[in-house]
């Protein structure tokens, strides 16, 4: 029966050091992206089987399409009417669960004009695979 | 043993402290942070670490498999084999 | 050991036996059967996803039912029973006791599995293996959901009974001359994983009951329409099933600890660090469950806590890898089939672990959550590591169970095909996830990169299918017509490398 020796201790120390690095980096970036700018415009996002609807701050409502302006900050308030969904704009790395009875928030600022896919990433039943919407970022 | 232990603690400390201070030294959020860039950059930094470590581990494994296979001309019976015990 | 085919016994004698090798044999046969059933479902899913549009499966509901049943089958009906099979065969021998501590309980624990399997397979629930409420409460069709809930309930009880048996056998029935530190690492792995089951499983048992009464309309624990909290279910579920990952992976590592020293012709580098890493893993297993739930709207603090808990599991896993590599160092390694599976398993274990570390960094969850990255990542664990260790161990046990030798050449072909297929399939799934494809979807839009990668993944799955076909043929043919094995040294390793495998079933 063998025993541990010094290479193993050094190896474990290196692993722990790398993990500390990973943890610190992740903490730092998470800290940055969670800081919501104060002038972010609130968009209410509601998921339901199987489409997305949006409400702007001025009361305009949209279904299946979301029109935003380039280089503005937006804060999504995401909720659901029936089961869990997940609001995802992969291109802008925006992702958060839509949970009934709960409002989750995430913010972003689109820096490119164009059309981007919005999809549901949490299994929600029959047409989950096609629960999509379109994000249209307009150059102002 | 304790020497080894102290040595490893010193090495660990020397590597951890600069890394942590580097990570925390970043400035606080500007008004419109480019979320996409920040997150993907983090991802690529993590993947760099993962692939470097993976390269070392996988390289070691491939070399071991090549070197210590019994069909390698340099292979010789292990001491435990000669004694016929384990 | 049992040599069933040399001295055939009536089937009923094995079925009603409580001897540990007989129960082990039943576990083994059942788990191999379940593996092929679950594998067939995976192939159907991959054929469907080969290209956009309907290929094989007509509607999304059938697809949803298939992936749910595939996951449930592989985890509860293949991996858990196959680990129990190995434990039943070897743990009593390793602690030098005549049988498991409670032989009848052992047989009962096995016989609870087939009825549960029938419930799961006939029901085909559609809510994913995690039965996420409120979907599973308000939207999922009956009676499939109820059948799944009852099936899982029975499987949970079975797994608790089996675990009690392992813990008592190892701690109370080991030979007085054998100190706990000298108990072989394979038996240690069963001790650790059984203790995790005992601590984790009751939580899920409670959650299942709550889910059932919710579905019946009697309560509203998880139904927000009547004031419940769906997130509470996710906490209960992952509190059981993150540790469950370790329940599956720890015995697989134990199996590698059995194979690698044998075929390297050296003792394990450090028994001490192996035991330490097992104990560490069973403790930190309970510190990371909510990393599955970053996207449910957790606060920064919660995320940080669970990220640290997740990273804490890495040093122990890394110690196992070190132990394996250091054992092989300076050995004279015979690359027979079991050793190939073990070494391939370690390589993929590392890849899965590295992916897990990257994944645990909280902001990266925004990229990878519920995407194909996650599918690739956990398949590297459950297939690349756990099933690799298990399949290697099935080859390793084969001569002792049947008295015959499997066909070595076809064993190697099987390994190469499955290893290559697994790399193609699961690494491509990681990349596909980075391109944003969600998991659990029946169809996808015509995005060029998605189409190409899905086709590649399906090709990898087909390569694995061919390998597994060879495996099945090898098992059946060799157990009937294979060369008789030299039971003192079936793999030609020389020396006294074995535990007393001569131990016979008294029924012979």
């Amino acid at each position: 029966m063998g025993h541990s020796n010094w290479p193993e201790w050094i190896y474990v120390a290196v692993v722990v050091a790398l993990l500390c690095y990973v943890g610190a980096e992740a903490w730092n970036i998470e800290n940055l992206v969670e800081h919501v700018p104060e002038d972010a415009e609130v968009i209410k996002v509601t998921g339901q089987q199987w489409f997305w609807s949006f409400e702007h701050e001025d009361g305009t409502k949209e279904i299946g399409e979301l029109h935003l302006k380039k280089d503005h900050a937006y804060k999504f308030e995401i909720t659901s009417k029936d089961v869990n969904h997940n609001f995802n704009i992969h291109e802008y790395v925006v992702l958060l669960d839509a949970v009934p009875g709960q409002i989750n928030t995430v913010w972003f600022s689109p820096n490119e004009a164009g059309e981007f896919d919005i999809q549901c990433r949490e299994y929600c039943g029959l047409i989950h695979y096609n629960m999509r919407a379109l994000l249209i970022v307009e150059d102002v | 043993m304790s020497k080894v232990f102290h040595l490893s603690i010193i090495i660990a400390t020397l590597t951890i402290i600069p890394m942590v201070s580097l990570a925390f030294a970043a400035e606080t959020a500007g008004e419109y942070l480019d979320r996409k860039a920040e997150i993907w950059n983090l991802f690529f930094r993590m993947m760099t670490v993962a692939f470097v470590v993976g390269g070392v581990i996988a390289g070691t494994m491939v070399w071991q498999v090549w070197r210590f296979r019994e069909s390698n001309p340099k292979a010789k019976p292990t001491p435990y084999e000669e004694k016929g015990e384990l | 050991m049992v040599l069933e085919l040399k001295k055939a016994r009536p089937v009923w004698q094995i079925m009603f036996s409580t001897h540990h090798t007989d129960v082990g044999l039943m576990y083994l046969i059942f788990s191999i059967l379940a593996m092929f059933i679950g594998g067939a479902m995976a192939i159907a899913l991959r054929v469907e996803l080969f290209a956009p549009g309907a290929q094989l499966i007509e509607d999304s509901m059938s697809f949803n039912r298939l992936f749910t049943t595939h996951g449930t089958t592989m985890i509860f009906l293949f991996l858990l029973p196959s680990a129990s099979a190995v434990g039943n065969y070897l743990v009593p021998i390793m602690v030098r006791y005549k049988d498991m501590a409670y032989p009848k309980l052992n047989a009962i624990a096995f016989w609870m599995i087939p009825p549960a399997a029938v419930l799961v397979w006939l029901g085909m629930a559609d809510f994913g293996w995690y039965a996420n409420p409120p979907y599973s409460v308000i939207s999922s069709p009956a009676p499939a959901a109820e059948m799944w809930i009852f099936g899982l309930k029975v499987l949970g009880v079975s797994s608790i009974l089996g675990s009690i048996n392992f813990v008592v056998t190892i701690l109370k029935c080991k030979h007085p001359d054998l100190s706990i530190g000298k108990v072989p690492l394979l038996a240690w792995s069963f001790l650790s994983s059984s203790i995790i089951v005992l601590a984790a499983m009751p939580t899920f048992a409670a959650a299942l009951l709550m889910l059932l009464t919710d579905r019946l309309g009697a309560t509203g624990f998880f139904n927000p329409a009547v004031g419940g909290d769906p997130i509470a279910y996710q906490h209960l579920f992952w509190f059981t099933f993150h540790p469950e990952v370790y329940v599956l992976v720890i015995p697989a590592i134990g199996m590698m600890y059995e194979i690698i020293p044998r075929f390297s012709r050296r003792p394990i580098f450090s028994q001490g660090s192996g035991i330490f890493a097992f104990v560490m893993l069973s403790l930190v297993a309970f510190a990371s469950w909510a990393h599955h739930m970053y996207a449910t709207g957790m606060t920064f603090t919660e995320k940080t806590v669970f990220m640290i808990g997740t990273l804490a599991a890495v040093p122990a896993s890394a110690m196992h890898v070190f132990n394996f590599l250091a054992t092989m160092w300076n050995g004279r390694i015979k690359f027979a089939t079991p050793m190939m599976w073990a070494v391939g398993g370690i390589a993929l274990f590392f890849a899965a672990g590295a992916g897990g570390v990257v994944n645990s960094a909280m902001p990266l969850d925004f990229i990878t959550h519920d995407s194909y990255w996650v599918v690739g990542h956990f398949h590297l664990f459950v297939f690349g590591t756990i099933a690799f260790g298990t399949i290697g161990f099935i080859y390793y046990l084969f001569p002792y169970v049947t008295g015959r030798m499997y066909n070595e050449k076809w064993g190697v072909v099987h390994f190469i095909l499955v290893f290559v297929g697994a790399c193609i399939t699961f690494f491509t799934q990681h990349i596909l996830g980075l391109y944003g494809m969600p998991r659990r979807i029946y169809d996808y839009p015509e995005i060029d990169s998605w189409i190409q990668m899905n086709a590649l993944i399906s090709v990898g799955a087909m390569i694995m299918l061919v390998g597994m076909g060879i495996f099945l043929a090898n098992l059946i043919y060799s157990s009937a017509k294979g060369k008789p094995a030299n039971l003192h040294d079936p793999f030609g390793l020389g020396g006294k490398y074995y535990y007393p495998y001569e131990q016979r079933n008294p029924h012979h």
Side-chain angles (χ1 to χ4, degrees), chain C residues 162-164 166-167 189-199 247:
Chain C
S163 301
I164 291 174
F166 280 125
V167 172
S189 73
F190 279 92
L191 181 60
S192 330
S193 66
S194 301
I195 289 173
I196 302 179
V197 168
L198 292 181
V247 171

Side-chain angles (χ1 to χ4, degrees), chain B residues 54 64 68 70 78 81 86, chain C residues 265 325 329-330 332-333 350:
Chain B
Q64 273 193 308
F68 297 119
E70 67 177 356
T78 64
E81 218 178 331
L86 192 72
Chain C
R265 298 179 167 108
L325 297 190
W329 199 271
N330 269 331
R332 191 165 74 91
I333 308 169
F350 174 81

Side-chain angles (χ1 to χ4, degrees), chain A residues 90 97 119 121-123 126, chain C residues 60 126 130 295 303 369 434 436:
Chain A
H90 185 71
D97 274 359
Q119 59 185 4
R121 265 217 201 163
E122 182 67 70
Y123 177 67
L126 202 60
Chain C
S60 77
D126 76 311
Y130 66 154
K303 284 189 186 180
H369 182 85
L434 297 179

Side-chain angles (χ1 to χ4, degrees), chain A residues 54-82:
Chain A
F54 308 94
E55 189 181 334
H56 292 263
E57 239 172 24
D58 60 6
T60 346
K61 289 183 183 171
E62 294 184 82
I63 289 179
E65 265 188 5
L66 176 61
H67 290 81
L68 298 180
K69 289 178 204 128
K70 194 185 149 193
D71 292 330
H72 278 57
Y74 294 96
K75 180 171 137 188
F76 295 112
E77 292 187 346
I78 305 164
T79 189
S80 163
K81 278 201 173 153
D82 37 39

